[in-house]
Amino acid sequence: MTSSSGRRRSDGVGLHARRRFLTLAAMTSVGAFAGMPRVRAEGRRVGRISEFPFTLGVASGDPMPSSVVLWTRLAPRPYEVGSGLPPAGVVEVQWDIARDEQFRNIERSGLTTASAGFGYSVHVDVSGLQSGRSYWYRFRTGAWSSPVGRTRTAPAAGASVRELRLGLASCQQYDGGYYTAHAHLAREELDAVFFVGDYIYENAIDAQAGERRLPAGSRLPEVFGHELKTLEDYRLRYALARTDPDLRAAHAAHPWVVTWDDHEVENNYAAGVPQVGEAPEGFLARRAAAYRAYWENMPLRPDRYPSGADMRLYRRLLFGRLAQFDVLDTRQYRSDQASGDGWQYPGPESQDASRTMTGPAQERWLLDGFRTSTATWNVIPQQVAFSRRRLTLTGPSRLSMDAWDGYPASRDRILQGARTAVGGNLIVLSGDSHIHLAMDIKKDFDDPRSPTVGVEILGSSITSGADGMEKPEDWAELLAANPHMSYYAKRRGYVVITLTPTHARADYRTLAYVTRPGAPVTTGASLVTQAGTPGFHPA
């Protein structure tokens, strides 16, 4: 089985040295950014924009019963540093949100600014909307109008909801292939899309865009040909991703709820610890740049803007009485991976009870949310595989130190809180591994007869891993070694999740190829779990 783990620190840094590194990183997190420019929303007004500025499309996100975030970013020349706009300045932008696609019945409108300090991004938190209904929105500046986006508010608090339809997506390496899966996702009837990490990758991209194999006349500029380090590097990579029309279509079709994984900064980083031997100050400055670019390019509320290298991304969304979504961040606060990372045999280090995937504050927040939840379904959108994944049928097996298997005490605390407070209606949404998996979450993964306490829906990648295959070489062995698994495939794709008061359904969508555009979508498996009786079975 593959994941985004791959290589790990090659500098021979031991466990205690890495922990000292982490402590030093935390101590220096304020002073590391003294040389970074102050972010200012003020500045001289930019003159007439002569080129179409909405090349990156529009997006909406984090729907609440009476509000939703609207996003765009002005980028007349998305492949250039500065996106074709002045390095300092402000652009006035008008926004409208309406009950109809033709904007005959405008519900709210207003003026805001896009400034150079925020990458000319726009984040409008529109309030006063009706719950549980669709809206259409647009932006305008000067003579230019953006594409029209569709969004939807969450149901009212306490409302009885008959059905929610959700998309689950992750891992869209630009040079891994075409975003055809997003074209299909855009055409699904959904209330929201949950994107659980690796929106961009930090690697260098060649002129042919890797697996996309662009023709010579469509070569990418050299600005993408190195690993990301600076704020402008990260801004350009998000712009590159958004130039894909299928990704823009998926954003325009549905509100998104996003969280990051590792590649938005660097592969397999852990809190303040980089994957390889980078100085603490340098890595934290890099993390600050990456977090800032992430906020600039995602439909997140203004109050989520990072403070240096810190950004609180975990949050809670309620959809009536049907579902509570506790969106986690398993990168920013975790303990360093045990045993040097990768797939290792579990031992005293990985099984240390003090190890945490979430950090103490986020863990308390999650457990408190379980205790106060009145929802039928308690859903945890997060990044990496939650359930046990053995590689061999007999004897000891290596486990992924980057996933929850490397943090079993942290997983046990969360499962204990879930069992006590929410019974069996727990659903964990995951990504990262570039495969489709459906898994029953067991009270004790060492005992196949142990009670099932929830289910995990792990969605494959949009492109990462290129075309893949339906049944990889380890298909039979992996399913035999993990009797709590009911589906495993290595194609690219996404998942459509349907929640009702009586059951939850997962439809695993797959594409036969992504290294050329136009692949059709099929449903590889459809599985159901019943409310109050956790465990997957065929639909």
Side-chain angles (χ1 to χ4, degrees):
M1 180 186 300
T2 60
S3 75
S4 63
S5 296
R7 67 191 194 280
R8 188 54 176 173
R9 306 169 185 87
S10 58
D11 54 358
V13 179
L15 169 64
H16 297 295
R18 290 199 303 272
R19 286 176 174 167
R20 287 197 300 271
F21 184 102
L22 180 60
T23 302
L24 176 59
M27 293 172 62
T28 59
S29 63
V30 176
F33 316 107
M36 295 188 69
R38 287 181 174 272
V39 176
R40 298 179 61 85
E42 303 84 10
R44 179 175 296 178
R45 191 172 302 278
V46 174
R48 184 176 66 89
I49 299 176
S50 59
E51 299 172 80
F52 181 65
F54 297 108
T55 59
L56 309 184
V58 299
S60 67
D62 279 12
M64 293 185 175
S66 62
S67 68
V68 69
V69 179
L70 306 181
W71 174 93
T72 193
R73 180 179 156 210
L74 308 182
R77 301 176 191 169
Y79 290 176
E80 296 182 7
V81 173
S83 301
L85 292 170
V90 171
V91 178
E92 190 173 79
V93 179
Q94 179 171 334
W95 57 270
D96 303 299
I97 188 167
R99 299 187 182 194
D100 63 296
E101 193 170 2
Q102 292 73 35
F103 290 84
R104 288 188 293 259
N105 299 293
I106 294 179
E107 186 84 2
R108 293 282 187 275
S109 62
L111 291 174
T112 187
T113 56
S115 70
F118 296 109
Y120 288 102
S121 64
V122 175
H123 301 72
V124 181
D125 187 357
V126 183
S127 60
L129 303 176
Q130 293 184 11
S131 61
R133 68 154 296 152
S134 295
Y135 289 94
W136 287 260
Y137 63 95
R138 67 187 178 191
F139 298 91
R140 290 178 288 171
T141 185
W144 304 107
S145 293
S146 74
V148 173
R150 174 190 172 275
T151 191
R152 187 169 180 84
T153 52
S160 296
V161 182
R162 295 179 58 186
E163 181 181 278
L164 283 175
R165 283 175 58 83
L166 313 167
L168 172 65
S170 65
C171 302
Q172 53 187 36
Q173 186 167 1
Y174 184 85
D175 51 329
Y178 288 89
Y179 291 163
T180 313
H182 279 309
H184 296 293
L185 187 66
R187 290 190 283 267
E188 301 274 4
E189 289 294 329
L190 303 175
D191 294 283
V193 170
F194 285 81
F195 194 93
V196 294
D198 293 346
Y199 192 96
I200 62 168
Y201 281 65
E202 78 282 18
N203 60 287
I205 300 178
D206 63 30
Q208 282 73 46
E211 295 292 345
R212 294 196 177 211
R213 303 185 184 96
L214 300 180
S218 300
R219 292 170 60 90
L220 290 180
E222 292 182 2
V223 72
F224 299 110
H226 62 271
E227 185 167 337
L228 309 184
K229 296 286 186 180
T230 69
L231 177 59
E232 288 300 337
D233 288 342
Y234 287 103
R235 283 173 170 171
L236 281 164
R237 190 59 55 88
Y238 283 104
L240 177 64
R242 287 280 177 80
T243 60
D244 187 287
D246 294 335
L247 177 57
R248 294 199 307 272
H251 272 296
H254 314 294
W256 283 39
V257 179
V258 299
T259 188
W260 53 37
D261 194 18
D262 52 340
H263 287 289
E264 287 88 352
V265 181
E266 181 202 42
N267 183 46
N268 280 26
Y269 82 95
V273 183
Q275 186 184 47
V276 294
E278 186 175 353
E281 296 86 351
F283 177 71
L284 284 173
R286 179 183 183 182
R287 197 179 90 172
Y291 283 9
R292 180 170 158 185
Y294 184 84
W295 177 87
E296 289 176 352
N297 287 278
M298 293 295 113
L300 292 165
R301 285 184 163 79
D303 63 3
R304 295 288 166 180
Y305 185 78
S307 174
D310 301 314
M311 177 175 165
R312 177 168 168 170
L313 192 58
Y314 63 89
R315 60 208 187 277
R316 179 168 295 127
L317 298 172
L318 304 176
F319 282 64
R321 295 204 303 266
L322 184 60
Q324 173 174 303
F325 297 92
D326 292 316
V327 184
L328 297 189
D329 171 0
T330 64
R331 281 292 161 192
Q332 188 173 181
Y333 314 107
R334 64 159 66 189
S335 305
D336 192 18
Q337 291 94 337
S339 304
D341 203 358
W343 288 77
Q344 309 289 347
Y345 291 106
E349 184 181 350
S350 66
Q351 295 169 342
D352 185 340
S354 68
R355 290 175 52 74
T356 177
M357 179 69 91
T358 62
Q362 186 177 194
E363 182 178 293
R364 287 193 300 270
W365 167 86
L366 178 60
L367 297 179
D368 288 345
F370 286 160
R371 284 189 286 270
T372 59
S373 175
T374 58
T376 300
W377 298 101
N378 287 268
V379 187
I380 304 177
Q382 55 91 53
Q383 293 75 18
V384 295
F386 187 82
S387 301
R388 172 74 60 83
R389 295 178 298 165
R390 289 175 54 89
L391 299 180
T392 57
L393 183 59
T394 60
S397 172
R398 290 184 172 88
L399 303 174
S400 172
M401 295 296 104
D402 187 60
W404 288 84
D405 276 341
Y407 303 77
S410 190
R411 178 172 60 196
D412 288 346
R413 291 191 294 270
I414 288 172
L415 288 180
Q416 177 59 41
R419 290 196 302 271
T420 301
V422 304
N425 295 342
L426 175 69
I427 300 176
V428 177
L429 307 182
S430 311
D432 177 68
S433 296
H434 310 166
I435 55 178
H436 275 328
L437 285 177
M439 296 183 280
D440 292 347
I441 302 172
K442 308 297 288 186
K443 181 181 179 181
D444 180 1
F445 285 103
D446 290 325
D447 180 4
R449 297 169 298 178
S450 175
T452 297
V453 298
V455 296
E456 179 175 6
I457 302 169
L458 192 153
S460 188
S461 60
I462 296 295
T463 59
S464 304
D467 290 338
M469 62 199 73
E470 183 62 26
K471 290 185 177 182
E473 292 181 359
D474 64 348
W475 183 81
E477 184 176 15
L478 196 73
L479 290 173
N482 298 278
H484 56 283
M485 283 184 187
S486 49
Y487 179 57
Y488 168 35
K490 203 173 183 179
R491 291 290 192 199
R492 308 286 74 83
Y494 58 94
V495 188
V496 173
I497 301 157
T498 305
L499 303 180
T500 76
T502 60
H503 68 274
R505 173 178 174 135
D507 292 300
Y508 288 82
R509 307 285 201 239
T510 63
L511 282 74
Y513 54 86
V514 295
T515 53
R516 61 188 192 276
V521 67
T522 60
T523 301
S526 296
L527 302 169
V528 171
T529 181
Q530 302 295 327
T533 311
F536 274 131
H537 56 83

